[in-house]
């Protein structure tokens, strides 16, 4: 058993974590991966919204930095509760602590909840930044960042392999009607011999891209953006929700599944309590499906 680590100023109770290997089920076929003997620990920290840190093999990656104060931005037009200002909550720790990182990964630049004005101001201009495309990389360089790289299927950084994964930021119907506003999104996988594989799915619905990533990488830890973001006038959501946590739990029977992107934006329509109630209702292990508060940190 491993104990959940806690950063200062958080209020959730500590939880117990179990060490685990991984497996996956895709298209009805099980594909198991045995635990790696003596695998080194990796650390995940939920900061706020989709802003997280992954500490992997001695390197700290800051992912999708939204760093502004509470209420800095207007709500996203055409989404639920767009009359409210985002973010809904403050950062759980000082900004100076959040930006302590060796590299930054931006899964997409189109939406300020993944790459905002405060991040553009506050991050060191020489910090390595990985973007999903050359177009996104160029948009970041315009703000004076000097070391911006494009994330591909196999990038080495300090001995860790980073692999971009595809995502779909909404249903086919949503993309047909609002595709320009929803934009392209991506995820990332962290791999290194002797370390657990971590898959950050990013802003996506559950579809073949997610299933393919699970099948290909068979992660030990999967980070799911699970707030169930809603557009006015459309059924379903453009970001995964509680049902997708259950899909991930079933597809990866030995992995940890972590719910991120919660309770910080007006259009996020599922709460942490709703997710936890659903986990209990479905009989999922609360030690394997984790719903962190802002500021909580786990070691896997």
């Amino acid at each position: 058993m491993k104990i959940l680590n806690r950063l200062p100023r958080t209020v959730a109770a500590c939880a117990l974590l179990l060490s685990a290997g991984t497996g996956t089920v895709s298209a009805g076929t099980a594909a198991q991966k045995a635990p790696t003997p003596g695998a080194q620990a990796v650390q995940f920290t939920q900061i706020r919204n989709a802003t997280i840190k992954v500490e992997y093999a001695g390197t700290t990656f800051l992912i999708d930095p939204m760093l502004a104060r509470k209420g800095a931005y207007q709500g996203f037009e055409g989404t639920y509760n767009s009359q409210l200002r985002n973010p809904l909550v403050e950062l759980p720790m000082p900004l100076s602590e959040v930006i302590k990182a060796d590299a930054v990964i931006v899964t997409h630049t189109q939406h300020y909840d993944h790459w905002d004005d405060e991040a553009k101001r506050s991050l060191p201009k020489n910090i390595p930044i990985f973007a999903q495309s050359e177009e996104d990389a160029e948009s970041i360089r315009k703000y004076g960042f000097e070391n911006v790289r494009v994330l591909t299927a196999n990038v080495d950084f300090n001995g860790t392999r980073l692999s971009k994964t595809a995502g779909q930021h909404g249903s086919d119907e949503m993309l047909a009607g609002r595709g320009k506003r929803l934009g392209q999104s991506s995820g990332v996988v962290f791999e290194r011999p002797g370390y657990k594989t971590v898959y950050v799915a990013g802003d996506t619905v559950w579809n073949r891209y997610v299933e393919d990533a699970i099948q290909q990488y068979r992660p030990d830890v999967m980070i799911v953006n699970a707030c169930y973001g809603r557009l006015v006038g459309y059924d379903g959501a453009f970001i995964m929700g509680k049902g997708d946590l259950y899909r991930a739990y079933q597809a990866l029977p030995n992995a940890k599944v972590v719910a991120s992107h919660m309770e910080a934006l007006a259009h996020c329509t599922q709460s942490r309590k709703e997710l936890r109630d659903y986990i209990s209702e479905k009989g999922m292990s609360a030690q394997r499906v984790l719903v962190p508060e802002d500021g909580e940190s786990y070691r896997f």
Side-chain angles (χ1 to χ4, degrees), residues 41-71:
V42 298
Q43 182 161 306
F44 163 88
T45 300
Q46 175 64 47
I47 296 176
R48 181 185 61 184
N49 195 56
T51 307
I52 62 175
K53 279 185 178 179
V54 174
E55 297 178 41
Y56 202 94
T59 299
T60 299
F61 296 90
L62 174 63
I63 302 174
D64 286 344
M66 177 179 67
L67 307 180
R69 297 293 303 270
K70 176 182 176 180

Side-chain angles (χ1 to χ4, degrees), residues 133-198:
S133 65
E134 183 56 42
E135 180 181 8
D136 277 14
E138 187 56 33
S139 73
I140 294 171
R141 293 185 189 110
K142 289 179 181 178
Y143 290 93
F145 292 95
E146 304 162 358
N147 191 359
V148 186
R149 315 175 192 186
V150 176
L151 192 62
T152 62
N154 188 352
V155 171
D156 181 274
F157 186 78
N158 289 354
T160 292
R161 183 165 71 179
L162 308 175
S163 297
K164 173 186 168 182
T165 61
Q168 183 173 316
H169 207 347
S171 65
D172 292 342
E173 180 186 8
M174 291 176 187
L175 293 183
R178 300 287 298 277
K180 287 185 178 180
R181 293 190 65 86
L182 290 169
Q184 296 291 324
S185 64
S186 63
V188 60
V189 173
F190 299 82
E191 294 178 289
R192 187 178 180 130
Y195 287 82
K196 295 186 176 182
T197 299
V198 177

Side-chain angles (χ1 to χ4, degrees), residues 268-287:
C268 293
T269 62
Q270 287 183 348
S271 68
R272 290 182 171 104
K273 181 181 185 303
E274 185 174 355
L275 292 190
R276 292 179 181 128
D277 288 347
Y278 181 78
I279 289 165
S280 177
E281 173 192 325
K282 300 297 286 187
M284 292 186 276
S285 168
Q287 292 180 319

Side-chain angles (χ1 to χ4, degrees), residues 28 80 82 94 113 124 127 143 149 224 226 287 291 297:
Y80 276 48
S82 61
D113 62 311
I127 193 168
Y143 290 93
R149 315 175 192 186
V224 176
Q287 292 180 319
V291 185
S297 180

